[in-house]
Amino acid sequence: MASIKTAGEAVARIAYLASNVVLSVQPALAVESEFSKYLHGFAATQAPGLVAKEAPEVVALRHNVDPLLSAFQPLRSGKLVSVTTPSTILLSSIPHLYKLAHYPIVLHVALEPFNYPDYSEITAIRQCGFIFLQSETLQEAQDLALSAHALAVKSGKGVIHFFDPANSKDDVPIEPESRELFEETLDLDAVRALQLHKEESPSLYVDVGRRATVTEDNSPVFASNRGENEGAGKTPPETAAGKSPDRGGSSVGSSVRESSVESRPTVSSATSIDSVITRSVTSEDVNGYIVDIWSKIGKATGRNYQTFEYTGPENAESALFIFGSTGLFVDELGAPKSSEEFARFGLVTARLYRPWIGARLAEAIPASVRRIAVLEQIRKKTTKWGPVLLDILTSLRTGPSTSGAPLIVGHQLGYIEPATVRQALRGIFQNLNSRTPIQNLEVGSREGPRQSLAQYHLVQPKVESAYMKILAQVFGARLYVANRLGATNAGISATVAASPEYGFGSLLARSDHRTRFISEVKRAAATRDFATDIPRNWLSKWALSAEDSKQVNAIAPDVISRLSNDGSSLASTLLESKSLFFKESQWLIGSDAWAYDLGNSGVHHVIASGANVNMLIIDNQPYSERAAADAARRKKDIGLYAMNFGNAYVASVAVYSSYTQVLEAMIEADQFNGPSVVVAYLPYNKEDDSPLTVLQETKKAVDLGYWPLYRWNPNNEDNGEPNFSLDSERIKQELEEFLRRDNHLTQLMNRHPHFAANLSESYGTEVRALQKRKAKDAYNTLLESLYGAPMTILFASDNGNAESLAKRLGNRGKARGLKTMVMAMDDYPLEDLPTEENVIMITSTAGQGEFPQNGRAFWDAIKDTTELDLSQVNYAVFALGDSHYWPRKEDKIYYNKPGRDLDARIALLGGSKLADMGLGDDQDPDSYQTGYAEWEPKLWQALGVDKVEGLPEEPQPITNEDIKIQSNFLRGTIAEGLEDTSTGAISASDQQLTKFHGTYMQDDRDLRDERKAQGLEPAYAFMIRCRLNGGVATPSQWLQMDSISSSYGNETMKLTTRQTFQFHGVVKSKLRSAMRGINKALMTTIAACGDVNRNVMLSPLPTRSAFHRDVHQVSAKISDHLLPSTTAYHEIWLKDNDSDEKQTKVAGDAVVDREPLYGPTYLPRKFKITIAVPPHNDTDVYAHDIGLIAIKSADGNRLEGFNVLVGGGMGVTHGNKKTYPRTGSMLGYFPASQIHLVCEKIMLVQRDHGDRKNRKHARLKYTIDDMGVDVFRSKVEELLEAKFESPRPFEFSSNIDTFGWQKDELGMNHFLMFIENGRVEDTAEFPMKTGLREIAKVHKGDFRLTPNQHLCLSGVPDEELDMMKGMLKKYKLDNLHFSGLRLSSSACVAFPTCGLAMAESERYLPELITKLETCLEENGLRQDNIVMRMTGCPNGCARPWLAEVAFVGKAYGAYNMYLGGGYHGQRLNKLYRSSIGEEEILEIMKPLLKRYALERKEGERFGDFVIRIGMVKPTKEGKTFHEDVAEEESEGE
């Protein structure tokens, strides 16, 4: 092992090896302490300890969250606990220290501040019952850390090991101690005995009476509990014998003296109880134990330690006793130049500070010493005489023989510069040797170096700034934060000034000041001391509304203005306090540290006072089962606590869940006359966590009810309104029912916090177990009537293939007479597995060789267990995967990894194979079916049912074509599914049909695991996509879309790459209302998705409004012409079910309907049309089924016709080379008047000739490649009864948006603003959604959505230009100061809502670009447009295959990288690297960008550059997309 360089590293290593749990107390979770970097390094590598069976648990805790509370639960569970901490927590932890002193806990304390620590933190707690050890050097830190743990085990008492880290910062590195020394010193047998014993306690606040005890017959006993018969039957089986060197009869075997309250048998049944004398551990016992420990260390290493260490000549006449930083003095006294000057001086320090053994001090000091200077480095003196001085006086100058005792002189040790040490020593000895020494002489500077005193400042974590920004936005200049960080408070430390008590006092004083000021104003208004009567009138008006914040803040500027103009002395006096003319919004800001005992008292005072004070308390504890179960920490529910008072406004909010609700709560809190508490959720593991991490944690907590969103206003009942308003959608029904039960459950959990974990578990583990048991029992009941051998089939499936195989295998097994049962692995009760006879397991492969979602819990349960005996179980495994999915050799282990792991694990647990594992490979001719066809017969043969005759013919699987034709023109059972309140989902077939109606069923994938753990169904919700011709919306439509997103969705809107609005998070119960709201805006969603023609796209064309109008009319004509004719949309979504409107029916229940263009089966696959207007290819015209290139008339002012491209498409399947992206092929030119018919005929050819058997081969691009372009053209011309003309010339110059203000030919102004990845939302930093809503209220033009996900504010007349610019600036919407890379980027939605996503996209691309922008700046590329796109899967929604650089999700955190797309959108890119993560992406991109900056030719685009330098080869057509890639995919295994 490498040498150890710092005391923190040495101590951290010892603590890790000698503990089950290490509590790492840190200034902040993202700020390392003296120890934490090393502890987290050990934990990250799962380094083994010597005490813990598994890797010790390292728990990071912020210093202000009552960290020592976390020690009680593991200690009472029989675990050895150590704490690494700065000294700053000690004083506030005194209430806990008195209890912890009777447990074998070790606190390693690094004294602060660095370079000049304050030892008063130690002296202040010296009587708390702990043992104190002090080390000074690096080697001593290691040895005494080990000694502390050994002493805690031996004595049964808590030990505090403290040291000054700066004292040893220049020490020579040391080697770690040997394992043999560690084991011998620590006494592992005693440790094991300790771990066997646990104790129960109903509450943290109940003193269980633990006391460290010792028996006189050398038999160790466990810590006694008051009220028990001490000494009776408490001796453990193992005895750690060994006598104290100092006391012949006492035991040193009390290493297990404080673990259990249980009775234990004695070592010998022949030993009489009366012969065992039990007593408390004494100071002499402790001294004996430590001497014994140091003796072992000395024998092994030659390093000897004493209770008090004396260094110096044996005939010294004077001595220094230093309680402080000794390093400088030791160095100076040992220096050659000082040897003569200080030859008769010695140095004394305490190794064992508590218990203080005075006799050992007298023994350590030579008899020749006549004078002792005591130096105490204590900056917070509370008494005249220092505590160490008093200890020494008591030891040496009291008792029967004090004659000849040395003279003792106390000194206060301050900060000493290294250059002045000798001068300080001279001063000390001069004072010591004078006839009348000065007591308490100060040596050095009391203040110390500034930089050391400010080693860590209280700072607000960056992630928490969101709430402060919202406060500032809402209240502006009115905001006053009484305990804000960084405020100047004379004589008050930053820590105290940030406390709730100080802030509350400050606010009371400020409130009193304003009350006095109001009285002064009233008196002034009654006088005639002003120059005119105008101020009097205004002051009177002000005084009448002084407590009404809205009115008084409106007139305050006028009052100040009138006083300023008056010029009288009275006006000047009032203006000295002019800020008090405003009624402030006064706030206290706190963290969840206020929810623990040591911080909660201040909250109590504020609420109990009834004062008009607002508190914002930010809670950052992430949702987790472990956190929920940590009842011993006694974290208060401040919201419930405040509501029980009945006089406070209370709100529970989460900015990453509902921005709107945060605003409402803050405004209501400010308006409430009385105490207000806003408890704000912002979960993070470290202060520098990304917003994505915070978002995911917030969603889990809110969705599962861990953090409900609500508002409580006790004044509402006076207005006939409910006091309680629940704002959490997911738990609304459950919590309303809970509230109707008068909060009995909450009150129960509040009174008995240790029930909380059980109650929480009842929603999760127990419910889930019950579900599994019921499902299994139902199957068993079903199978009782069947005959034949049993066969249990367990599957794990993400995309449904493994599940389909399992069900098909089950049906085939039944046909062969087997009793089959088919279940998802996670639904199966694992305890039943050893009782099964034949088990078949079928699993697909997810992510990076991971188990699918519904098999992970099963795998996690069996992968490490050794308790399952499967020796009586026969099994077989079939695995599904893709051998080309992970092309690199080092990644081949991921191919079918779940199946391989499962097969090996079941075999290891004793299972007998029915057949060798089968491997299904997507690269085989029939995909996974090829391998399955070979494997299944072997299974039937092994089960003896391979020769069964008369097997029934299996029905064909239901396809999308079957669903469509049976749907009765897209009706299916959608209406019935919407009425089903038992689930948030709809049936699988209806999920396919609702796409035609413009909505997809999804679930929140951030919440899948947690909801499953709670026994809940996925968080189902729906995505709604509008149909918006050409992306043009009116201001009223924008306002309606904004309202729908807030009322029914997740409070955001997505501007999509298909130039329309998209809403997410619409739950089923609100789906119909949302659809009606869209219809009310004269918009629709029909055919926005599904196997029909979708939204027709169009360039926003801000500089040519007249031409845009012409083209937009054509796009609308095409869209309307190709719209489905079914009336199902109107029936399901718009018709009032209570109306008398009747639908005509014939032949029973068949609705009269027809589809003249589509027919009953519609199209084989989706169909997309776009229009581009040269020179802008901002619609990616080559990427669609039909791409129309607008051709202008000869004068360039009007639309003449279109060049027609066909066969573009972006969808691909990873690893399947039969799928590929394709750019459109030119058919020719056609006049604009007939272009809607051209589109119709192209669509009809695809309808009749497209592949309806294989949906992966069903797009128009494959139809054209199968038929050939010429044949396809002829079929279209045959239907048109006309020929295409030769294409007209055109030229594209880019496919990105042109941002900023532009003026069209009509004189109107247009502003194209940047909306990153199309997400319109409000955040604390950027109130975008609010800004656009306010603009829509006054805008008279239109909004044009761009295909690159941005927004064009169109049609602003010159007279409104300044107003609009002002509004854009106010809401930061005019900010275009972004890099060219960011402005040219685009991403799909991906996680958390897209069910197809394999990796992050929208939420990750901005972070990746941020990490590249420094490189862009360094190489002068900030303004260069490089088209970068990212998608979460290969379906290509953001059209990544045309980007110059693209990242396509392969698995979570892994992407395929593509290079070489055309800047004009005309050329496909090519695979460069497969399955790379962020680190590899940056390693590739940064040097490449630098090379591009240095080597590019004039005007050369990035995509062209990477081809020219040979990084990739150009893709000339879709069919060659997979050829000549830079990283060849190797063959599968």
Side-chain angles (χ1 to χ4, degrees), residues 891-1079:
D891 292 336
K892 292 313 246 181
I893 58 171
Y894 301 134
Y895 169 60
N896 273 325
K897 186 176 186 296
R900 294 173 186 270
D901 290 347
L902 192 59
D903 183 65
R905 187 63 189 167
I906 300 299
L908 185 65
L909 293 173
S912 302
K913 286 189 180 182
L914 289 166
D916 290 337
M917 180 177 62
L919 297 177
D921 189 351
D922 282 350
Q923 297 302 315
D924 286 341
D926 292 323
S927 187
Y928 60 86
Q929 299 285 2
T930 302
Y932 183 80
E934 297 174 359
W935 175 81
E936 185 183 308
K938 297 176 184 177
L939 176 64
W940 300 140
Q941 185 176 8
L943 292 169
V945 292
D946 53 318
K947 297 179 180 179
V948 176
E949 297 180 354
L951 294 174
E953 185 175 340
E954 294 181 359
Q956 292 295 319
I958 296 176
T959 66
N960 280 60
E961 296 303 310
D962 298 325
I963 293 172
K964 286 186 285 187
I965 202 167
Q966 295 170 15
S967 71
N968 191 12
F969 295 96
L970 307 182
R971 287 172 175 80
T973 58
I974 296 173
E976 292 81 355
L978 293 174
E979 300 299 323
D980 182 5
T981 60
S982 66
T983 175
I986 56 176
S987 68
S989 60
D990 286 341
Q991 290 174 39
Q992 298 301 317
L993 295 175
T994 53
K995 295 177 183 180
F996 292 80
H997 298 257
T999 180
Y1000 280 75
M1001 191 186 85
Q1002 302 174 328
D1003 76 287
D1004 194 324
R1005 296 175 67 180
D1006 284 344
L1007 304 175
R1008 275 186 185 175
D1009 290 344
E1010 293 298 339
R1011 288 185 68 87
K1012 186 171 185 178
Q1014 297 292 324
L1016 303 172
E1017 71 174 8
Y1020 292 119
F1022 290 78
M1023 178 273 285
I1024 301 176
R1025 184 182 299 153
C1026 295
R1027 187 181 181 91
L1028 189 65
N1029 296 330
V1032 179
T1034 65
S1036 62
Q1037 288 175 327
W1038 183 277
L1039 290 172
Q1040 183 69 3
M1041 298 302 101
D1042 179 274
S1043 174
I1044 289 169
S1045 68
S1046 297
S1047 301
Y1048 307 119
N1050 62 358
E1051 300 187 16
T1052 74
M1053 290 190 292
K1054 175 78 169 177
L1055 310 184
T1056 76
T1057 54
R1058 289 221 57 77
Q1059 212 173 4
T1060 188
F1061 297 101
Q1062 195 162 285
F1063 307 107
H1064 293 273
V1066 182
V1067 295
K1068 187 171 74 172
S1069 61
K1070 294 184 177 181
L1071 192 54
R1072 183 177 278 123
S1073 298
M1075 292 291 204
R1076 291 176 176 177
I1078 293 169
N1079 181 257

Side-chain angles (χ1 to χ4, degrees), residues 24-41 58 60-61 84 86 112 455-456 686-688:
S24 174
V25 181
Q26 301 168 211
L29 298 179
V31 178
E32 301 288 2
S33 71
E34 192 73 27
F35 318 91
S36 59
K37 177 174 69 174
Y38 309 106
L39 290 170
H40 296 319
V58 177
L61 297 165
T84 59
E112 290 191 346
Q455 184 183 8
Y456 175 74
K686 285 192 173 182
E687 289 82 357
D688 55 0

Side-chain angles (χ1 to χ4, degrees), residues 1412 1415-1416 1421 1426 1485-1493 1502:
L1412 289 170
C1415 177
L1416 294 172
L1421 296 175
I1426 300 173
M1485 284 299 299
K1486 288 182 178 181
L1488 180 56
L1489 289 170
K1490 182 176 182 179
R1491 187 176 178 186
Y1492 174 56
F1502 185 79

Side-chain angles (χ1 to χ4, degrees), residues 106-135:
V106 177
L107 274 64
H108 296 288
V109 178
L111 296 172
E112 290 191 346
F114 193 80
N115 279 342
Y116 181 38
D118 185 1
Y119 280 68
S120 66
E121 305 278 5
I122 297 298
T123 58
I125 62 170
R126 65 189 184 277
Q127 306 295 356
C128 67
F130 268 78
I131 301 168
F132 289 74
L133 296 178
Q134 178 184 201
S135 62

Side-chain angles (χ1 to χ4, degrees), residues 54-83:
E54 300 176 352
E57 182 183 6
V58 177
V59 181
L61 297 165
R62 294 201 321 275
H63 71 105
N64 61 346
V65 295
D66 223 353
L68 294 191
L69 274 173
S70 293
F72 285 92
Q73 188 173 4
L75 283 169
R76 290 171 174 174
S77 301
K79 295 180 179 179
L80 291 185
V81 178
S82 61
V83 182

